[in-house]
Amino acid sequence: MSFGLQLYNLYRHTMDIWCLFDVPLSLRKKCFGYRWQVLCIVCCVNWVDNVTGQARYSIPEEMSEGSFVGNIAKDLGLEVSRLVTGRARIVTKGSRQYVDLNRDKGTLVVKERIDREELCQQTTPCSFSFEVIIENPIQLYRITVEVRDVNDNAPSFPRDSVNLEISESAVSGARFSLDSAEDSDVGVNSIQSYTLKPVDHFNLELHSQPDGGKYVEMILHNPLDRERQEEFTLLLIANDGGDPQKSGTLHIHVIVIDANDNAPVCSLSVYKADIKENSPIGTLITNVSAADADSGSYGKVSYSIAHVSREANGLFQMNAETGEITVSAQLDYEKVKNYQLNVKARDHGGLTNTCRVVIEIIDENDNSPTIQLMSFSNTIAENSPPGTTVAVINAEDADAGKNGVVHCSINPDIPFKMESSMTDYYSLVTDGILDRESISEYNVTINVSDDGTPILFSNKTVTVKVTDVNDNPPAFDRCVYEAFLTENNSPAVSIFTIRASDADSGQNARLSYYLENSEINGAQVSSLVSVNSENGVIHAVRSFDYEQLKEFHCNITARDGGSPPLSATVTVHISIQDQNDNPPQVLYPVQTSSSLVAEMVPRSADVGYLVTKVVAVDVDSGQNAWLSYKLQKATDRALFEVGLQNGEIRTIRQVNDKDAVKQKLTVVVEDNGQPSRSATVIVNVAVADSFPEVLSEFTDFTHDKESHDNLTFYLILALAVVTFLFISCVMVIISVKIYRWRQFRNFHHSNLPVIPYYPPRYADAGGTGTLQHVYNYEVCMTTDSRKSDCKFARPFSQNVLIMDPSSTMTRDNATLQRSPNEKSFLDEPDSPEQQNPPNNDWRLNQQGQRPGPSGTYRYSTSTQQRWTPYGKAR
């Protein structure tokens, strides 16, 4: 509030007080010099109060709605933005709010019409207070608004007219009490003067009471004469000091009666009485008595309450005969603390006397303390430091004295406490560390009690919810998870579901799962598996092969949605489970389309003779790799058997001459998987004591093979020649042929070392394979003759015969390889070897070969003997 406005209000109140007590003008001037010193002191005090959180304003009553009261933002030193962000609001103790706050402008405006008489009655100065609450942080300001009176009420009398019976013997100076007028206004706007018309017989005299009230007496100055004028009417006018001036009138009807020369006399001019509030109706307060010296009817006195204020009207009852004053309605100390009654004692002759009765109301502890939440936040973050304000509470008691002393407390064993911030105001603050995960909600019971007898109390329970802060990271129930996946799975199949928990709530407990980047055998783990960020389901990205990858591990991170986010990492170990997806593979005997492998069994073989052993493997694992061998088909099933577990082919009876030389066995190798897989191998067995016998049985096969190979060769050659004719000329072809012939001749007559050659998938066991012996032999034969010569270096017990229609012959672990080009030159008529062919009975040369007109066969001596037709014309 501005300094000038404070000076004006203080000056106005001072003038009101002087007018109320009729201070003479001379005394006012004498005190004028001192008044400014007092004004300066009071204004300085008010100025300090304003800085410390209080503001005071003065407005006239009856202002229209929306009228400006004051700029609270400026007077309290606040920014307008602070009022908006702090959600500033007005909190009143009563049910009515006269002033409203415009936060956008920082001003106070009138919310509804203010009637000073309704608000304060006769109390002056009249003011009302309220608090302005600003949150974040909570600040409390007390605002007092003084309501100045305006002359909006005219004086009024309790009755429009009264009748007075006055004896004609009344002497000059006799006093007659009249009803005083009432004016709800105060100060200069209240009743200032009374006027009586006409004034032929009576004058007026105005008396002031200690409580500030006034009453009027009419004084007789000219004797009455009933014979001249039996009755007449007077007009009493009450005027206030407002502008414009207002007045009220009372008609006094005077009836002149015969003489009564002694008026009643009260025993006391002022009666004082005390009575407790809430006293029952009919309780005796006091007894007024008066005596009259007259006799007869003029000596009998009756009592009545001459003038009753608006507050006391209907509260008291007076016995007209005895003068007893009793309670006629409920008394309330909190509304009015004392009453003053004017009791009129009147005899039957019309003479009266007036005495005053002062009634003091004694307070009783009949009001329980009240609790009002001025500001309350029902949520508080769990990381709030101790001392954080949760609520501002107003606790007060309408009683007086110790009955109105209030004590405020809360229930124990909770992390909150009460602090007194100012008179009748308390702050509920935190008194410890909050943990939402332990206790998420507190019921705080606010208890208030007074010091009266009996002690009255009241309570109010508020619920404070602890809001979550992201202070707990996600947690897994294990450090390592094991998951299993069967190979040959479908992509995107679910492998495992991983779950983490978070003790927080809401967004802070919403978890997302992420796969950490890492490499497995040079590949990113994201190319193997993926994880659903919402539910933690791990999916396979591709199909797995147990034979390539048996197990791997990955790290998965669970991250919550807090700010900042917290995370935890866990390892998932994924094992690939084998399926029976690979059939057995036969390692021995080797099955090729261009060669024929035969096992030799002498006719002298006994029962259980080991013919050969089928060797197979399965790349699966476990029971899927357990192999069993069965003889599916055989030329003579009574001659051979196969070991179920080891695959050994043995004779089951003695071989005799009737057994066919060529035996064909079909062996099935089967694993133990579900479903099982199998492989089939054909084992050719030659039952003979010498190679010539074997060759005679396998000749047809060799011829058929050679014919088929010759046909394929000619088809390819024809296609090559046709293509070549389009590209080159005939002379180039002739030159190339001559060039090749010369190369062949040079190569044939040179003594180059022989380079050993081992076919693919062939291993020289050296006595460590299935057949445990090494054999050396020499053989010489032709394809046109069934007469063959075979010379053995030493005896042997087991023989293996392999026929290969290729151009390779090995002997004593030495190999010589000839190309088809060389063969074509040998077939030419000018070749020296063909011009002079030897006889059919020939031996192998040192290189293990010898060309012949029909063909030459080369043999290898080792654990496995290979028999190869060589040099046959194609």
Side-chain angles (χ1 to χ4, degrees):
M1 182 172 60
S2 64
F3 183 73
L5 184 58
Q6 290 183 350
L7 287 176
Y8 169 75
N9 288 335
L10 188 57
Y11 172 78
R12 188 183 59 79
H13 292 320
T14 304
M15 295 300 295
D16 290 344
I17 293 172
W18 284 346
C19 292
L20 182 63
F21 292 99
D22 295 329
V23 178
L25 184 59
S26 59
L27 183 58
R28 299 183 191 180
K29 294 181 178 179
K30 184 177 182 181
C31 296
F32 183 80
Y34 301 101
R35 184 169 69 248
W36 291 109
Q37 299 176 8
V38 176
L39 285 175
C40 293
I41 295 174
V42 174
C43 290
C44 290
V45 173
N46 289 337
W47 183 262
V48 173
D49 288 341
N50 180 41
V51 174
T52 56
Q54 298 186 16
R56 186 178 182 91
Y57 298 94
S58 177
I59 61 173
E61 65 172 330
E62 304 294 341
M63 291 181 67
S64 61
E65 183 178 344
S67 299
F68 176 78
V69 176
N71 191 330
I72 189 173
K74 178 180 178 182
D75 296 336
L76 294 179
L78 300 173
E79 296 291 339
V80 175
S81 58
R82 172 71 178 116
L83 298 177
V84 176
T85 59
R87 296 186 298 176
R89 64 183 184 277
I90 291 177
V91 179
T92 60
K93 298 179 182 179
S95 59
R96 299 182 65 179
Q97 180 180 339
Y98 296 103
V99 177
D100 200 3
L101 173 62
N102 188 333
R103 287 187 296 200
D104 296 332
K105 298 181 179 179
T107 59
L108 294 175
V109 296
V110 175
K111 185 178 182 181
E112 63 175 79
R113 186 185 68 86
I114 304 174
D115 187 358
R116 195 208 65 81
E117 290 74 32
E118 178 185 355
L119 180 65
C120 300
Q121 298 179 358
Q122 295 297 314
T123 304
T124 182
C126 177
S127 63
F128 62 90
S129 299
F130 56 88
E131 283 74 33
V132 175
I133 299 293
I134 304 177
E135 298 181 355
N136 299 321
I138 294 177
Q139 292 176 308
L140 181 66
Y141 297 93
R142 175 167 292 173
I143 310 299
T144 301
V145 178
E146 179 185 356
V147 180
R148 301 195 306 271
D149 184 48
V150 296
N151 192 24
D152 57 341
N153 293 284
S156 62
F157 289 91
R159 293 173 291 180
D160 294 335
S161 63
V162 296
N163 294 323
L164 289 179
E165 293 180 354
I166 303 175
S167 175
E168 62 177 341
S169 62
V171 297
S172 297
R175 295 176 179 270
F176 302 91
S177 178
L178 301 177
D179 291 340
S180 298
E182 291 184 354
D183 193 332
S184 299
D185 297 324
V186 295
V188 297
N189 296 324
S190 63
I191 298 175
Q192 300 296 321
S193 63
Y194 288 89
T195 304
L196 183 63
K197 295 179 180 180
V199 293
D200 296 338
H201 297 280
F202 297 94
N203 290 328
L204 289 180
E205 187 172 318
L206 184 63
H207 298 276
S208 298
Q209 298 181 3
D211 62 351
K214 297 179 180 181
Y215 66 95
V216 180
E217 286 185 334
M218 191 170 59
I219 302 174
L220 182 64
H221 66 86
N222 285 328
L224 298 177
D225 187 358
R226 180 178 178 276
E227 289 68 25
R228 292 181 59 185
Q229 189 176 4
E230 184 177 356
E231 60 181 34
F232 55 90
T233 301
L234 303 177
L235 183 62
L236 180 61
I237 302 173
N239 299 305
D240 61 20
D243 185 16
Q245 189 180 57
K246 295 184 178 182
S247 61
T249 59
L250 174 65
H251 295 274
I252 304 172
H253 185 64
V254 179
I255 300 173
V256 182
I257 61 177
D258 286 338
N260 180 23
D261 55 353
N262 290 292
V265 178
C266 295
S267 58
L268 294 175
S269 61
V270 177
Y271 289 84
K272 293 184 179 180
D274 297 332
I275 187 171
K276 293 182 179 180
E277 65 173 334
N278 303 323
S279 296
I281 297 174
T283 302
L284 179 63
I285 300 175
T286 188
N287 192 354
V288 177
S289 63
D292 194 321
D294 292 329
S295 62
S297 62
Y298 292 118
K300 293 181 179 181
V301 179
S302 60
Y303 304 91
S304 63
I305 300 176
H307 173 66
V308 180
S309 63
R310 185 178 299 173
E311 295 83 3
N313 186 24
L315 297 179
F316 306 100
Q317 184 177 1
M318 189 155 196
N319 192 316
E321 300 295 333
T322 62
E324 292 180 349
I325 301 176
T326 58
V327 177
S328 62
Q330 188 73 31
L331 301 178
D332 190 354
Y333 173 85
E334 287 70 40
K335 291 183 178 179
V336 180
K337 297 177 175 57
N338 57 70
Y339 298 92
Q340 293 189 23
L341 304 178
N342 294 322
V343 178
K344 180 170 66 174
R346 179 179 182 277
D347 61 18
H348 287 196
L351 298 180
T352 63
N353 193 6
T354 303
C355 61
R356 186 159 50 92
V357 179
V358 178
I359 302 175
E360 294 288 341
I361 308 300
I362 300 175
D363 182 46
E364 284 189 336
N365 192 27
D366 60 341
N367 291 284
S368 298
T370 60
I371 302 173
Q372 184 178 2
L373 292 177
M374 311 302 290
S375 177
F376 172 60
S377 175
N378 63 345
T379 59
I380 184 171
E382 62 177 323
N383 62 347
S384 299
T388 301
T389 301
V390 178
V392 175
I393 301 159
N394 172 243
E396 60 183 5
D397 196 319
D399 295 322
K402 68 176 184 179
N403 295 332
V405 177
V406 177
H407 303 281
C408 187
S409 63
I410 60 174
N411 52 310
D413 301 329
I414 58 175
F416 297 93
K417 66 178 181 180
M418 276 290 185
E419 291 182 351
S420 178
S421 55
M422 56 192 307
T423 304
D424 297 336
Y425 282 89
Y426 298 86
S427 297
L428 177 64
V429 298
T430 57
D431 191 31
I433 302 300
L434 303 177
D435 186 7
R436 189 206 64 83
E437 289 70 38
S438 299
I439 302 177
S440 62
E441 185 177 285
Y442 292 93
N443 290 322
V444 181
T445 301
I446 304 169
N447 302 302
V448 292
S449 60
D450 57 23
D451 285 344
T453 303
I455 297 176
L456 300 179
F457 62 89
S458 60
N459 58 66
K460 186 180 185 69
T461 300
V462 295
T463 300
V464 180
K465 295 182 180 180
V466 181
T467 58
D468 185 49
V469 175
N470 193 26
D471 56 348
N472 291 281
F476 295 94
D477 55 356
R478 284 183 286 176
C479 297
V480 178
Y481 288 89
E482 293 285 341
F484 299 92
L485 176 65
T486 304
E487 68 171 332
N488 302 318
N489 58 283
S490 300
V493 69
S494 174
I495 301 176
F496 187 73
T497 300
I498 191 170
R499 290 290 185 185
S501 59
D502 197 316
D504 295 321
S505 65
Q507 186 67 22
N508 297 330
R510 184 175 181 179
L511 301 181
S512 300
Y513 300 90
Y514 302 92
L515 182 66
E516 289 191 357
N517 291 329
S518 61
E519 288 190 359
I520 298 175
N521 296 336
Q524 292 292 330
V525 69
S526 58
S527 65
L528 303 179
V529 293
S530 65
V531 61
N532 190 306
S533 62
E534 297 294 333
N535 53 28
V537 177
I538 301 175
H539 297 275
V541 175
R542 64 176 179 84
S543 179
F544 290 93
D545 187 357
Y546 173 82
E547 288 72 36
Q548 295 181 0
L549 182 64
K550 293 180 173 57
E551 62 180 7
F552 64 94
H553 68 271
C554 58
N555 294 330
I556 294 178
T557 299
R559 185 178 298 116
D560 59 28
S563 179
L566 301 178
S567 62
T569 303
V570 70
T571 300
V572 179
H573 188 275
I574 301 176
S575 299
I576 311 300
Q577 294 181 331
D578 184 46
Q579 267 191 339
N580 191 27
D581 58 341
N582 292 283
Q585 297 180 3
V586 179
L587 301 180
Y588 186 84
V590 179
Q591 300 290 302
T592 61
S593 60
S594 60
S595 64
L596 180 63
V597 179
E599 305 291 341
M600 292 187 61
V601 178
R603 295 186 178 275
S604 60
D606 295 331
V607 177
Y609 176 81
L610 178 63
V611 178
T612 187
K613 181 177 182 180
V614 177
V615 180
V617 295
D618 196 321
V619 295
D620 293 324
S621 63
Q623 67 177 7
N624 296 328
W626 297 350
L627 302 180
S628 60
Y629 302 85
K630 297 178 182 179
L631 184 61
Q632 183 183 34
K633 185 190 296 184
T635 304
D636 188 353
R637 298 185 66 89
L639 182 59
F640 302 100
E641 68 175 357
V642 179
L644 181 64
Q645 303 297 332
N646 54 22
E648 293 180 349
I649 301 177
R650 296 179 180 271
T651 59
I652 57 177
R653 65 175 176 81
Q654 181 70 42
V655 180
N656 53 46
D657 296 337
K658 294 181 180 181
D659 294 326
V661 175
K662 183 179 180 181
Q663 296 284 340
K664 185 176 181 181
L665 307 179
T666 303
V667 179
V668 176
V669 184
E670 187 176 22
D671 58 26
N672 198 37
Q674 293 296 332
S676 62
R677 292 177 176 270
S678 61
T680 303
V681 61
I682 297 176
V683 180
N684 294 291
V685 179
V687 181
D689 291 328
S690 62
F691 278 105
E693 296 181 39
V694 176
L695 294 175
S696 62
E697 292 294 333
F698 288 93
T699 301
D700 296 337
F701 172 82
T702 304
H703 280 291
D704 294 339
K705 191 73 175 179
E706 289 177 354
S707 300
H708 178 72
D709 291 342
N710 291 338
L711 179 60
T712 303
F713 173 77
Y714 284 125
L715 291 175
I716 297 174
L717 181 62
L719 180 62
V721 170
V722 172
T723 305
F724 190 78
L725 289 177
F726 282 100
I727 302 173
S728 61
C729 62
V730 177
M731 295 302 298
V732 175
I733 297 174
I734 297 175
S735 299
V736 171
K737 284 185 172 288
I738 295 174
Y739 176 75
R740 288 182 179 180
W741 177 75
R742 289 180 179 178
Q743 276 192 329
F744 172 77
R745 289 178 61 85
N746 294 335
F747 175 77
H748 181 73
H749 293 287
S750 63
N751 295 322
L752 298 176
V754 178
I755 301 174
Y757 169 77
Y758 296 94
R761 301 181 66 84
Y762 173 80
D764 187 4
T768 61
T770 303
L771 305 179
Q772 301 297 324
H773 301 284
V774 179
Y775 305 93
N776 294 317
Y777 56 86
E778 294 180 356
V779 63
C780 181
M781 62 190 69
T782 64
T783 59
D784 297 332
S785 173
R786 291 186 176 272
K787 298 291 185 176
S788 302
D789 184 12
C790 182
K791 180 180 180 180
F792 296 93
R794 61 176 181 269
F796 60 94
S797 60
Q798 295 179 351
N799 300 295
V800 178
L801 179 62
I802 301 177
M803 301 181 63
D804 188 357
S806 65
S807 59
T808 303
M809 183 187 74
T810 60
R811 182 179 181 273
D812 296 329
N813 297 328
T815 303
L816 179 62
Q817 193 171 16
R818 292 186 59 191
S819 64
N821 294 329
E822 295 175 338
K823 178 181 66 175
S824 63
F825 281 104
L826 291 175
D827 293 338
E828 294 178 2
D830 57 351
S831 175
E833 287 78 359
Q834 293 207 316
Q835 291 177 0
N836 301 307
N839 57 20
N840 292 337
D841 191 5
W842 44 269
R843 299 283 183 175
L844 298 175
N845 57 16
Q846 293 181 353
Q847 287 77 21
Q849 65 180 9
R850 187 177 183 87
S854 301
T856 303
Y857 294 88
R858 179 182 303 155
Y859 296 88
S860 171
T861 61
S862 63
T863 301
Q864 298 178 348
Q865 291 76 33
R866 305 182 66 85
W867 173 74
T868 306
Y870 173 76
K872 187 172 181 63
R874 296 179 178 236

